[in-house]
């Protein structure tokens, strides 16, 4: 006897499972206002449990189809695969796109100029319904392109860099100041920063904040080195800083990402220096890497997965004309671990300025 085929799941089934009307399901999947986040989440969960997806043709006719979001990143492929920040950020983006039955179109580019052309090509070719833009530079050409095209975007960057675009950002200046003040409060008077790519807007802001904190605290020594965020560059910068005579080298180093901080820890071991006895190390962007080292790395922690999810949710708000608009995400906070401590007695320099937290 031939088995009777299973009945097809319909929008009515999803509505019944979620305890809402069919109209509410339609509002949720067409990204329309009128539903609470809790109701929207319940509808998406019911659809996933039943294995239901909206009919693509119906969504197109409704004029609300957003099947693909674009994201281009100007980093070498090998480096991107090793950097926890972007893996966590993309994971956060994907968590929201899944709720909207939407895909991510990811491309690596060699320059922001190349990306500006790519975003225009994607939009004119109807390959994307919106885009998330990252790694802004001063006078970034992508701002003018997005404004001219009317391309729905969310810019991950400070509003001073993103023109009229809706943006989400972290307060890098406050976080850098907190890191330097913490190390100074421990007694460090010679502090270095191993920074990221000099052309990036957030690097410029971090550099200015570090200089200002060093002046305010009247540090005896303050060094800044720019890199490309790679472990190799972080190791070279650390080696250069620590090969100076003992009285002329930093007793604490702040790194602009966790990969470079891990590399710096290896260099200290290679040179026979104790962490934190001889030098304290502090990473930006806390990750599993920071918790696997010995000693564990102190870090400026923030929810990178949540940052990506926030950017994606804000983009859908831009697309439908509803949402929070430009806003900051929570500022990174200090998470002290085993890699930071007061400097050794021999390295202490009398304090000459305020160091209160």
């Amino acid at each position: 006897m031939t088995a009777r085929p299973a009945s097809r799941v319909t929008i009515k089934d999803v509505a019944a499972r979620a305890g809402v009307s069919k109209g509410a399901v339609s509002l949720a999947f067409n990204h329309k206002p009128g539903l609470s986040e809790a109701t929207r989440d319940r509808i998406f969960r019911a659809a996933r449990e039943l294995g239901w997806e909206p009919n693509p043709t119906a969504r197109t006719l409704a004029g609300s189809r957003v099947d693909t979001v674009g994201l281009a990143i100007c980093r070498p492929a090998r480096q991107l695969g090793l950097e926890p920040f972007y893996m966590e950020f993309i994971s956060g983006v994907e968590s929201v796109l899944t709720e909207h039955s939407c895909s991510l179109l990811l491309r690596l580019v060699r320059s922001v100029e190349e990306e500006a052309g790519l975003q225009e090509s994607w939009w004119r070719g109807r390959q994307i319904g919106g885009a998330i833009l990252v790694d802004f530079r001063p006078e970034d050409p992508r701002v003018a392109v997005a404004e001219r095209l009317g391309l729905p975007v969310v810019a991950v960057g400070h509003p001073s860099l993103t023109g009229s675009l809706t943006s989400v950002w972290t307060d890098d200046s406050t976080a850098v100041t907190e890191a330097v003040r913490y190390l100074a409060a421990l007694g460090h008077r010679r502090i270095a920063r191993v920074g990221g790519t000099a052309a990036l807007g957030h690097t410029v802001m971090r550099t200015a904040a570090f200089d200002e904190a060093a002046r305010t605290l009247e540090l005896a020594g303050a060094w800044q080195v720019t890199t490309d965020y790679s472990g190799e560059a972080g190791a070279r910068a650390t080696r250069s800083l620590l090969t100076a005579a003992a009285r002329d080298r930093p007793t604490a180093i702040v790194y602009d990402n966790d990969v470079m901080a891990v590399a710096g820890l290896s260099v200290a071991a290679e040179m026979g220096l104790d962490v934190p006895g001889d030098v304290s190390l502090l990473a930006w962007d806390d990750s599993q890497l920071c918790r696997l080292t010995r000693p564990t790395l102190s870090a400026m922690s923030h929810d990178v997965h949540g940052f990506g999810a926030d950017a994606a949710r804000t983009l859908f708000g831009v697309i439908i004309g509803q949402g929070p608009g430009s806003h900051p995400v929570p500022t990174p906070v200090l998470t002290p671990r085993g890699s930071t401590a007061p400097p050794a007695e021999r390295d202490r320099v009398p304090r000459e300025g305020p160091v209160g937290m």
Side-chain angles (χ1 to χ4, degrees):
M1 182 176 178
T2 304
R4 184 177 179 180
S7 59
R8 184 177 180 183
V9 177
T10 67
I11 190 173
K12 182 178 179 181
D13 299 319
V14 175
R17 172 69 70 95
V20 298
S21 67
K22 290 192 295 182
V25 177
S26 180
L27 285 176
F29 277 92
N30 285 316
H31 321 309
K32 297 291 187 181
L35 297 175
S36 69
E37 284 302 312
T39 300
R40 206 177 292 271
D41 290 343
R42 193 165 71 249
I43 291 168
F44 289 138
R45 184 167 60 251
R48 286 195 300 271
E49 290 170 353
L50 293 172
W52 181 83
E53 293 184 1
N55 183 289
T57 302
R59 291 178 70 192
T60 301
L61 292 174
S64 302
R65 180 178 177 181
V66 182
D67 287 333
T68 306
V69 165
L71 172 63
I73 300 175
C74 187
R75 298 284 174 90
R78 186 172 183 180
Q79 180 181 333
L80 186 67
L82 296 173
E83 191 168 1
F85 174 88
Y86 269 119
M87 296 301 99
E88 280 289 301
F89 183 83
I90 292 170
S91 173
V93 170
E94 287 278 18
S95 71
V96 174
L97 298 190
T98 298
E99 295 177 355
H100 292 267
S101 300
C102 190
S103 300
L104 180 68
L105 179 56
L106 176 65
R107 182 76 62 83
L108 302 186
V109 295
R110 291 163 294 187
S111 67
V112 288
E113 291 76 18
E114 179 183 345
E115 183 189 341
L118 176 65
Q119 296 286 358
E120 181 163 2
S121 174
W122 278 348
W123 180 243
R124 292 192 184 281
R126 299 186 178 182
Q127 292 178 265
I128 60 172
I132 297 172
L133 308 181
V134 298
D135 284 345
F136 274 80
R137 277 79 166 162
E139 307 298 327
D140 198 295
R142 295 171 295 173
V143 174
V145 169
E147 291 173 338
R148 172 170 54 82
L149 295 173
L151 170 62
V153 303
V154 163
V156 180
H158 193 271
S160 64
L161 303 167
T162 59
S164 67
L165 305 180
T166 298
S167 58
V168 294
W169 70 94
T170 56
D171 186 352
D172 288 346
S173 296
T174 296
V176 166
T177 301
E178 181 183 359
V180 176
R181 290 179 70 85
Y182 165 68
L183 293 170
L186 288 177
H188 294 279
R189 308 300 298 154
R190 301 194 302 274
I191 303 173
R193 170 176 163 262
V194 177
T197 305
L200 293 177
H202 63 259
T203 299
V204 174
M205 292 179 181
R206 293 180 189 183
T207 299
F210 184 92
D211 282 340
E212 178 61 27
R215 281 193 297 271
T216 300
L217 297 168
E218 299 180 9
L219 298 183
W223 300 260
Q224 296 201 70
V225 184
T226 56
T227 69
D228 62 2
Y229 286 115
S230 69
E232 293 84 355
R236 284 194 300 272
T238 304
R239 201 171 287 113
S240 175
L241 288 166
L242 296 182
T243 51
R247 298 296 297 179
D248 297 321
R249 70 188 182 208
T251 60
I253 305 175
V254 181
Y255 295 85
D256 265 23
N257 73 1
D258 44 5
V259 173
M260 294 195 296
V262 171
L265 186 61
S266 296
V267 169
E270 160 198 316
M271 297 179 65
L273 298 175
D274 178 70
V275 176
D278 295 313
V279 60
S280 286
L281 306 182
L282 177 62
W284 191 289
D285 292 333
D286 195 7
S287 74
Q288 189 68 16
L289 285 179
C290 297
R291 296 183 287 277
L292 292 175
T293 59
R294 289 293 178 270
T296 53
L297 281 163
S298 299
M300 298 304 295
S301 303
H302 65 126
D303 182 3
V304 179
H305 181 278
F307 192 10
D310 192 326
R313 279 193 296 268
T314 303
L315 175 60
F316 281 105
V318 170
I319 291 170
I320 67 173
Q322 300 283 336
S326 296
H327 61 277
V329 299
T331 302
V333 296
L334 179 70
T335 302
R337 295 196 183 99
S339 67
T340 49
E345 189 67 36
R346 66 180 182 277
D347 291 324
R348 294 185 183 178
V349 177
R351 292 177 178 176
E352 300 174 4
V355 295
M357 290 291 286

